[in-house]
Amino acid sequence: VSDYFYPNLGGVEMHMFQLGQCLIERGHKVVVMSNTYSKERLGVRYVSNGMKVYHLPLLPFSSQDSFASFMFLRCILRKICISEQIDIVHGHQTTALLNIVSLLHGATLGKKVVFTDHSLFGFSDAASININKVLKWIITNADACICVSHVNKDNLSLRAAVDPSTIYVIPNAVDTTRFQPDLSMRPPKGKINIVVVSRMMYRKGVDLLIDIIPEIIKKHDNCL
C-alpha cells in the first residue's frame, strides 16, 4: 500500500513493483493499493505477471499524496482484505497518507502489518514534527519495520521511538547485469569518476553537493 505507484516514477514506485514481481515468482499473491492517477487510472488494473492494482477513488492533492480518509478507507480496505484473502498489509513510505491509514486499519482487522521506510526525515521542522508524531502512533502495532539503509534505521528508530530490534535493513537491490560500463567511456587510469544518481529534491540532499564537490576535488586531484 502506498500513494506512490506506477505510472508515477520514483524509488518507492520501482521498489514496490520489483518487490511484487519477485514475490509473484516465489508463488505469492500480490495486490497493490494506490490512489487515483488521472481518469484513466481509476479502479482495478492488472500489470505484469498478474499483479493486481486497486486505484482507489482518492484524489491526490500534493506530490501524489491523498487526503487522510480514516473512516472512508476502513470499509474499502476491509472489503479488499476479505475478497483478496490478504494475510499481510505492507505499507511504504512515511509521507504516503494512504499507507498510514491502511496500516492502522490493517492492524484492527487482525492482519500482520509491515512498514517500509525509504527516506530520512528531520526532527525540528514543522512538517517532520507532525509526521513523526503520526508515525509513532501508527507503527506502534507494526509487526516489523524495514529500512533501506542502516542510517535510515537509526533515523526511524529515533523519530518514531521504535525498538531497533524490530527494524530490518534490506538495501535497495541493483541488477548489475543492466549496468555494464562502456569501456571507451572509462576515465583515464588512476582517475576516479564519481557519479550521483538522484532526484533533484531537497530531502535527497542534492543541495549538499554544491559544497561537497569542491571539497572533494580540492583534497583528491584524481577525482573527476
Side-chain angles (χ1 to χ4, degrees), residues 1 6 11 13 30 37 61 71 93 101 118 120-122 138 144 146 166 170 172-173 181 191 218 220:
V1 184
Y6 289 154
E13 293 86 343
V30 178
Y37 283 77
F61 71 95
M71 301 309 294
Q93 187 60 334
V101 176
H118 294 258
L120 304 178
F121 290 87
I138 292 296
I146 300 172
T166 64
I170 305 177
N172 287 325
K191 294 288 185 178
K218 187 187 302 182
H220 307 279

Side-chain angles (χ1 to χ4, degrees), residues 123-150:
F123 300 87
S124 58
D125 59 288
S128 294
I129 290 172
N130 282 292
I131 197 65
N132 291 343
K133 289 293 184 182
V134 172
L135 192 63
K136 183 178 179 181
W137 168 49
I138 292 296
I139 65 176
T140 299
N141 297 319
D143 294 281
C145 296
I146 300 172
C147 289
V148 296
S149 71
H150 289 282

Side-chain angles (χ1 to χ4, degrees), residues 70-106:
F70 285 87
M71 301 309 294
F72 171 69
L73 275 176
R74 182 179 64 174
C75 301
I76 295 180
L77 182 65
R78 179 179 181 274
K79 184 173 183 179
I80 293 175
C81 283
I82 293 174
S83 62
E84 300 290 350
Q85 298 180 323
I86 300 297
D87 298 309
I88 300 174
V89 178
H90 188 176
H92 290 260
Q93 187 60 334
T94 299
T95 54
L97 297 179
L98 178 59
N99 153 51
I100 290 174
V101 176
S102 298
L103 291 180
L104 175 64
H105 292 317

Side-chain angles (χ1 to χ4, degrees), residues 24 33 36 48 54 59 65 72 76 80-83 96 98 107 146 156 163 167 170 184 204 217 219:
I24 289 173
M33 288 176 57
T36 299
S48 302
Y54 284 86
L59 293 176
D65 281 308
F72 171 69
I76 295 180
I80 293 175
C81 283
I82 293 174
S83 62
L98 178 59
I146 300 172
L156 177 64
D163 182 357
I167 305 177
I170 305 177
S184 64
K204 297 291 184 181
I217 294 176
K219 293 181 180 180

